[in-house]
Amino acid sequence: MTLTTPTVEHFPELLVDRTGPCVSIYLPTGRRFPGSQQDVVRFRNLLRQAESSLTEVLGAAELEAFTAPLHALADSDRFWSHSLDGLAVFLHADFYKVYKLQRAVPERAIVADSFHIKPLLRVLQSADRFQLLAITRDHVRLFHGNRDSVDEIVLHASVPRTLTEALGEEVTEAHTAFNSVGQLGHGGAQIAMHAGSGSRKDEIDKDTERFFRVVDRAIHEHHAKHSGLPMVLAALPEHHALYREVSHIALLLPDAIAGNPDAFSPDELRQKAWEIVEPRYTARLQGFMDEYGAGLPRGLASDGLSDVAMAALGGRVRTLLVDDDRVVPGRVDRATAHVSHGELDDPHVDDILDDLAEIVLRMGGEVVMVPRDRMPSITGIAAIYRF
C-alpha cells in the first residue's frame, strides 16, 4: 500500500471563511476484510445524520444537489476497496475534499458554519509523526509513519530508486587484470593472479557516496524540506556515517536503524523508528506541560474557555493544547469572543475547542492535540500566551 498523505499545507483552504453549511465527516476505516466491508454502511449512517441537520437550512432540491458528491462516494466500490485507517470528508457548496488517513479518527458527522478540523489536526500534527528513509545500494524507499502505523510514500519521479538509476554509466567497473607472472599450480599450470588497479572497496565507497548524495538531494527537495517531520534513517551500519556526511536533511535524527532495511517488515521498521522518535515526542510534550504550569501564576497561561477565546482573537496564544478526544458543543463568536454552548445537531454549532483551534491557527499560533490522560487541565484546553 502506498500513500500520498494530506499535509498541514491543506489547512489554509480548510480555514477559509465560508457562507453556508460546512459538512465534516470522519470515519475510522478497516484496511482488511471484514472490517472494511462495514465502512460504507457506517459512512451512509453518518451521511444521513448530516442530511438530517442540513434539512434545517436547505430545501429538498438543494439538499439533493448539495450532498450528491457524498452519495457518489458511498456508491464507489473502487474507493471503499482500498482503505487505510481513517477517512475525512469535507463538503461545502464550493469545496469538496476526501482524505484517506493513516490513523483512526472518531466516528463523527458535523454540520456547522466552518469545518471541524480537530481530528485531522491530530492525524497531521508532527508530535508523533516521522518519515523513514530505508536505503541500500539496490533499493530506496520512503515511509510516513507514526506510533501506530507506517505506509510507503510514492517517491517523486526525480528520486532514483537504485544506484544504477542514479549514476548510470558512471558506476565504477571492476578494474582487474591478470598478473603476467602468475603462480604455478599442480602440474606446472599457471594460475592467473588478479591485480587491481586500485582498491575495489574505495571505488565502491565512492559510488555509494555519490548515490547517497543524489538520493538525499532529491528526498530533501521533494519530501523532507517542507514536511516538518523528523527523518529516521534505516541502513546498513557501515552506511550511516557515509549518508550523514552528504545529507542536507535538517531533521535527520542522530539515531538510526541498523541493518539491511529490506530484511525488516514495514511494521518492524515502524517499531524500531518509534523507539527512536518516542523520547523526542515525550520530551516535547513535557516541555509544553512545564511551560503551561510555569505560566499560570504569572497570567501567561489559562484553561478558561472565555479567557482563551479573548486571548486567541487578540493574537496572544502561542501554543494551544487541546484534548484530542473531547467535544464541547457550541461556538465562539469571532467578532466578540463570546463563547456560547449548544447542540451538535444545530447546523450552526460546531465544537468550542475546534473553534478555538481554528482561531489560534489563523493568528499564527500552534495547536497541539494531546491525549486526554496527558492534558494538564480539565476544560479540554490549555493555552500558553505570547505575552
Side-chain angles (χ1 to χ4, degrees), residues 5 154 214 226 237 273 316 347:
T5 183
V154 177
V214 174
H226 301 295
R316 293 182 59 207

Side-chain angles (χ1 to χ4, degrees), residues 45 82 123 177 184 215 251 263 296 343:
N45 291 336
H82 301 285
V123 171
L184 293 179
V215 170
L251 295 180
L296 275 175
E343 299 295 332

Side-chain angles (χ1 to χ4, degrees), residues 1-4 27-33 35-37 39-40 73 76-88 98-102 151:
M1 168 65 71
T2 55
L3 170 69
T4 301
L27 180 71
T29 54
R31 296 190 180 216
R32 299 175 181 84
F33 184 87
S36 58
Q37 190 178 36
D39 293 345
V40 67
L73 183 66
S76 173
D77 292 337
R78 181 178 180 182
F79 177 84
W80 295 102
S81 64
H82 301 285
S83 295
L84 292 180
D85 302 303
L87 179 68
V98 179
Y99 298 125
K100 290 184 177 181
L101 307 174
Q102 201 185 18
D151 289 280

Side-chain angles (χ1 to χ4, degrees), residues 130 132 232-234 255-261 263-279:
F130 56 85
L132 188 154
V232 178
L233 176 66
D255 295 323
I257 299 172
N260 183 348
F264 300 127
S265 69
D267 194 59
E268 287 173 327
L269 288 173
R270 177 197 62 78
Q271 293 176 19
K272 293 176 181 295
W274 180 240
E275 290 175 1
I276 294 171
V277 174
E278 184 177 20

Side-chain angles (χ1 to χ4, degrees), residues 103-123:
R103 168 174 275 157
V105 289
E107 191 165 320
R108 191 172 294 168
I110 293 180
V111 178
D113 293 331
S114 61
F115 289 124
H116 185 73
I117 62 170
K118 273 171 46 189
L120 189 60
L121 263 178
R122 178 69 183 92
V123 171

